[in-house]
């Protein structure tokens, strides 16, 4: 998933300009533009702030694809089996 594309999609859906989103998230309009065009990536904290300003949640912003679900499911199973493994 392209974070910038998703940001732009939600911004337009909610009728916000880049300037309005920038003001709400205390970022510059130029930075929002760069994010939407995929020229830069936000830090996790900045992304969470933007998601909140767009009135959504991280789970709604980044919907899990079947590939992602499979990856995370395997990681959880591996961690559980390693954690519960007997020590010989």
């Amino acid at each position: 998933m392209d974070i910038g594309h998703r940001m732009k999609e939600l911004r337009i859906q909610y009728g916000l300009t880049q300037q309005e989103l920038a003001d709400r998230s205390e970022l510059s309009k130029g930075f929002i533009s760069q994010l939407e065009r995929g020229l830069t990536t936000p830090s996790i904290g900045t992304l969470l702030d933007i998601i909140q300003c767009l009135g959504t949640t991280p789970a709604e912003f980044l919907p899990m694809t079947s590939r992602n679900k499979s990856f995370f499911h395997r990681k959880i199973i591996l961690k559980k089996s390693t954690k519960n493994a007997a020590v010989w």
Side-chain angles (χ1 to χ4, degrees), residues 17-48:
T17 65
Q18 286 182 340
Q19 186 63 57
E20 289 169 330
L21 179 57
D23 291 343
R24 288 182 181 198
S25 56
E26 299 180 351
L27 299 167
S28 72
K29 178 185 172 194
F31 185 67
I32 297 295
S33 175
Q34 288 179 351
L35 289 171
E36 288 185 356
R37 291 181 289 143
L39 300 177
T40 190
T41 55
S43 68
I44 297 295
T46 299
L47 179 59
L48 291 174

Side-chain angles (χ1 to χ4, degrees), residues 9-78:
E9 179 180 80
L10 287 173
R11 178 180 61 76
I12 291 170
Q13 180 181 332
Y14 292 115
L16 297 173
T17 65
Q18 286 182 340
Q19 186 63 57
E20 289 169 330
L21 179 57
D23 291 343
R24 288 182 181 198
S25 56
E26 299 180 351
L27 299 167
S28 72
K29 178 185 172 194
F31 185 67
I32 297 295
S33 175
Q34 288 179 351
L35 289 171
E36 288 185 356
R37 291 181 289 143
L39 300 177
T40 190
T41 55
S43 68
I44 297 295
T46 299
L47 179 59
L48 291 174
D49 288 343
I50 291 169
I51 289 170
Q52 183 178 15
C53 292
L54 287 169
T56 189
T57 65
E60 292 170 342
F61 184 83
L62 299 169
M64 296 292 281
T65 63
S66 59
R67 182 177 177 200
N68 289 345
K69 286 180 184 175
S70 175
F71 171 78
F72 286 115
H73 184 69
R74 282 195 304 264
K75 293 280 273 190
I76 290 168
I77 289 171
L78 288 173

